[in-house]
Amino acid sequence: MGGGYSEKLMEMYQALFKRFGPQHWWPADDPFEVMVGAVLTQNTNWANVERAIQNLKQSGVLDIERLHQMDTKELSLLIKPAGYYNIKAKRLKNFIEFLVGRYGGDLEAFFAQETSLLREGLLSVKGIGRETADSILLYAARRPVFVVDAYTYRILFRHGMVEEHISYDEMQALFMDNLEPDEALFNEFHALIVQAGKTYCRPKPKCEGCPLEHWESEMGLNIYTE
């Protein structure tokens, strides 16, 4: 692990944790609910996902077998609050079909797989990209896989940590190559980044009062510049 970047990333983590405290993420009753939420949260905010999941719970269908049997159109109406509901219903059905077809709907069998095989399988599901797959790995399967999202890119780019056109894999490697492979740390760190992004590092930044307001002056680093 690179000493300099390990220290700087931990400085970032500690500043965020000091301000925001533990995030208790991912809020869900069980791993399957986490996975459903990971699919539904694409291109929407969490409040909308919560409403969609509540609809599934109230209808008594937040269950692999029931969702597998459910008509896609009926499912789309239940998850309507999450937005793009027709597309997300198909994606969710694709994911359920993957769980049933490959693992017989047995989550213990799913979680028993090696991380690399789990990720490869998830990425083979139409509609599941790297961020969604890694969210499932980190928050449901509890594997030390760092989740990268738009907030991660925005914060690190604005603070001179990465170049403008960095790839998802390069951004992920920045964390995973420089931090201990600790699932609890990755969980909390990503959740804190999301909180900072929503609160301060918006498309139009609100820098005053941000816990990272003075972090930039300490950086001046860019591992992608020779």
Side-chain angles (χ1 to χ4, degrees):
M1 295 188 300
Y5 266 82
S6 299
E7 293 172 6
K8 292 303 179 182
L9 288 172
M10 287 308 299
E11 284 178 10
M12 177 185 177
Y13 171 79
Q14 289 159 3
L16 295 174
F17 190 84
K18 183 178 180 181
R19 170 65 60 82
F20 298 120
Q23 298 298 292
H24 306 292
W25 200 255
W26 193 294
D29 292 335
D30 56 52
F32 181 64
E33 185 178 328
V34 173
M35 294 191 283
V36 171
V39 175
L40 295 183
T41 199
Q42 297 175 18
N43 301 308
T44 192
N45 63 58
W46 183 248
N48 292 334
V49 175
E50 285 185 313
R51 287 193 287 270
I53 288 178
Q54 191 60 34
N55 285 350
L56 294 174
K57 287 182 175 180
Q58 290 176 347
S59 299
V61 297
L62 191 56
D63 171 88
I64 293 177
E65 188 57 37
R66 290 192 176 103
L67 289 177
H68 186 237
Q69 295 173 353
M70 177 175 280
D71 178 73
T72 304
K73 187 172 181 60
E74 183 182 357
L75 176 58
S76 69
L77 294 176
L78 288 174
I79 65 169
K80 192 171 183 177
Y84 303 98
Y85 51 93
N86 289 321
I87 294 173
K88 289 183 180 180
K90 292 176 182 177
R91 289 175 178 173
L92 189 52
K93 291 287 282 186
N94 290 341
F95 177 54
I96 297 298
E97 185 60 43
F98 163 76
L99 291 175
V100 172
R102 187 170 295 194
Y103 302 99
D106 183 349
L107 290 186
E108 286 191 13
F110 172 73
F111 291 134
Q113 299 296 299
E114 293 183 0
T115 301
S116 60
L117 293 177
L118 279 179
R119 193 173 195 263
E120 182 181 348
L122 289 168
L123 291 175
S124 73
V125 179
K126 187 175 182 180
I128 291 186
R130 286 171 292 188
E131 182 182 339
T132 302
D134 291 340
S135 293
I136 290 171
L137 290 173
L138 177 62
Y139 293 110
R142 303 181 69 88
R143 304 300 172 88
V145 176
F146 202 90
V147 179
V148 170
D149 58 20
Y151 295 122
T152 317
Y153 169 79
R154 187 185 300 157
I155 291 172
L156 267 63
F157 175 65
R158 285 176 172 171
H159 287 273
M161 287 281 281
V162 299
E163 291 183 343
E164 183 176 3
H165 300 296
I166 186 172
S167 70
Y168 183 100
D169 293 338
E170 289 172 323
M171 180 82 76
Q172 187 179 59
L174 175 64
F175 288 87
M176 294 185 66
D177 290 350
N178 290 288
L179 297 174
E180 294 291 341
D182 183 335
E183 171 264 326
L185 171 63
F186 288 2
N187 177 317
E188 196 69 73
F189 205 161
H190 175 247
L192 289 165
I193 286 173
V194 171
Q195 186 60 42
K198 291 194 299 184
T199 308
Y200 293 102
C201 208
R202 304 168 182 172
K204 183 177 181 180
K206 179 185 174 186
C207 297
E208 186 176 357
C210 174
L212 302 177
E213 181 179 4
H214 303 296
W215 188 53
E216 186 172 8
S217 62
E218 301 171 0
M219 295 304 303
L221 294 172
N222 194 327
I223 61 172
Y224 299 101
T225 301
E226 297 294 327

